Amino acid sequence: MEKVTEARCFGGRQIRFEHDSDSLNCRMQFSVFLPIRAEKTKVPALYFLSGLTCTDENFSSKSGAQRVANELGLALIIPDTSPRGDQVPDDAEQAYDFGKGAGFYLNATETPWAKHYQMYNYIVSELPALVEQQLPLTDKRAIAGHSMGGHGALVIGLRNSDRYTSISAFSPVTNPTSCPWGEKAFSNYLGNDREQWKPYDAVELINKNGQTLPIRVDQGLDDGFLEEQLKPERLKQAIAEANGDGSVHLHEGYDHSYYFIASFIEAQLRFHAKHLL
């Protein structure tokens, strides 16, 4: 890990690192917020996965999460959304919903994507091992995300309930096997066998395996992607049918933006703190 930038923030430290990733076969950057408590003892961490077109800097610069994270004594680990670099393949038409900036937190199996687009392995294994070895972090983790990153947080948390204490999401893509964003990404990254898509679909996972970790979802009802892409009612139904510990909070007047995230990030951080601490 090489430090790129550092700034004092709400008493803690906001740091950007870069490193060579074995999972992604490229150079990666990620951001970390360490609360002031981390200067004296190890602290638990919330991993936040961002959405389409984003990098690690969107959440770190727009959400205002550091204030409450410092109060609670939580670290924030904020990865990028896809592999990066000139050697990494991208969508030929540079569409915003596929290729760089749109890794969908899966392990690609199709050429030419498989060599670099292994974001699932990176988030689950490589990045935690790296930061927990070199930063003052415990091995207690929670996971959250927004939009495509909300999909990633749900899937990764559901598939790795032994590694996380809790899951949350803003405006997640809940049922990507049945929406345009997911169908485009999955058919390219994973091929046309839809059975290979289901392990990366939160609704399919809950329907098959149930749900044990506590989940909190926040969704704005003025979100332009609500009906076609996000489908929160399907996640709510899956949780109810599984008798799972989960809640979907619907908010009148809020959209898909970081204004929405900034409005409810404190509620999500306090939700995770109950389980992490």
Side-chain angles (χ1 to χ4, degrees), residues 47-63:
Y47 287 72
F48 191 92
L49 311 183
S50 295
L52 291 167
T53 75
C54 292
T55 69
D56 56 295
E57 291 188 296
N58 292 77
F59 182 77
S60 63
S61 64
K62 296 179 180 179
S63 70

Side-chain angles (χ1 to χ4, degrees), residues 106-123:
L106 50 73
N107 288 337
T109 57
E110 299 297 297
T111 304
W113 316 105
K115 181 178 180 181
H116 297 284
Y117 285 77
Q118 303 290 311
M119 286 296 294
Y120 179 89
N121 284 349
Y122 179 70
I123 300 299

